[in-house]
Amino acid sequence: MDFVALLSRWTHILSMTFLVGGPLYAYLVLATPLGGMAAAERRKWEDAAAARIRSIGLIFITLAIASGLYNLLNKVNLPKGYHMWFGIKMLFVLHIIAVTVLLGRAGVESAKRARWSAGLAVSGAIVLLLSAYLRAMQL
Ligand code: HEM
């Protein structure tokens, strides 16, 4: 068994649970109770969450890129069309990275934050589908 490949796959999936699972949870679960809060209280809560996203988000972005590059560089005999779908996945990944960095900023309007999280949840779901497809292409 290739232990490094296993570790790299685990790291990639772990990063993905934070980068995609976080916004999905924010959009589907947290948005409702947050919407019922007074504006000032909500902003305080969101700014505290942003500080956590800033530190933890950067770690998972770095891990996702490093493990993803390792996965990619170890691929051999890729089927026709693989690189095109991989490139499309990267466009959505760039969106996820950019918006995760933006969500780490303090003082962002609550409505904007909610819109960004919804966009991330959609991009995340698409990236998961594309990743599953990339895998299925090789089976
Ligand atoms: C938000 C960031 C990302 C998410 C949510 C994500 C998600 C995923 C998921 C769910 C898989 C399938 C895991 C498996 O079945 O083992 C995967 C595989 C993969 N990812 Fe990512 N990924 C992200 C970023 C990246 C980056 C930045 C790269 C490259 C630089 C990358 C390269 C790959 C490669 C090469 C595979 C293997 C695909 C295959 O089976 O051929 N990913 N990714």
Side-chain angles (χ1 to χ4, degrees):
M1 186 193 289
D2 183 344
F3 184 72
V4 182
L6 180 68
L7 188 69
S8 163
R9 191 168 182 206
W10 173 76
T11 307
H12 205 67
I13 294 174
L14 183 68
S15 322
M16 178 268 292
T17 56
F18 178 85
L19 294 170
V20 177
L24 267 175
Y25 182 74
Y27 178 54
L28 296 176
V29 179
L30 290 182
T32 309
L34 282 179
M37 272 184 183
E41 182 67 16
R42 179 173 178 173
R43 177 63 69 86
K44 223 166 78 190
W45 195 95
E46 286 172 343
D47 283 350
R52 299 293 293 158
I53 293 173
R54 218 164 28 245
S55 50
I56 302 172
L58 266 187
I59 294 173
F60 281 119
I61 287 172
T62 309
L63 288 177
I65 295 174
S67 55
L69 275 178
Y70 181 86
N71 290 345
L72 184 67
L73 295 175
N74 279 290
K75 295 260 165 215
V76 284
N77 297 329
L78 289 172
K80 201 165 159 265
Y82 186 95
H83 290 96
M84 179 188 77
W85 288 107
F86 181 77
I88 295 172
K89 170 182 164 170
M90 283 304 108
L91 294 178
F92 286 98
V93 165
L94 281 178
H95 177 240
I96 292 174
I97 292 174
V99 178
T100 302
V101 170
L102 288 176
L103 280 173
R105 287 189 176 168
V108 175
E109 237 177 81
S110 295
K112 203 181 258 185
R113 206 174 268 290
R115 244 188 352 262
W116 284 349
S117 296
L120 269 193
V122 172
S123 281
I126 293 172
V127 166
L128 293 194
L129 179 64
L130 290 170
S131 303
Y133 182 59
L134 286 171
R135 190 159 188 83
M137 284 174 96
Q138 300 158 83
L139 297 176

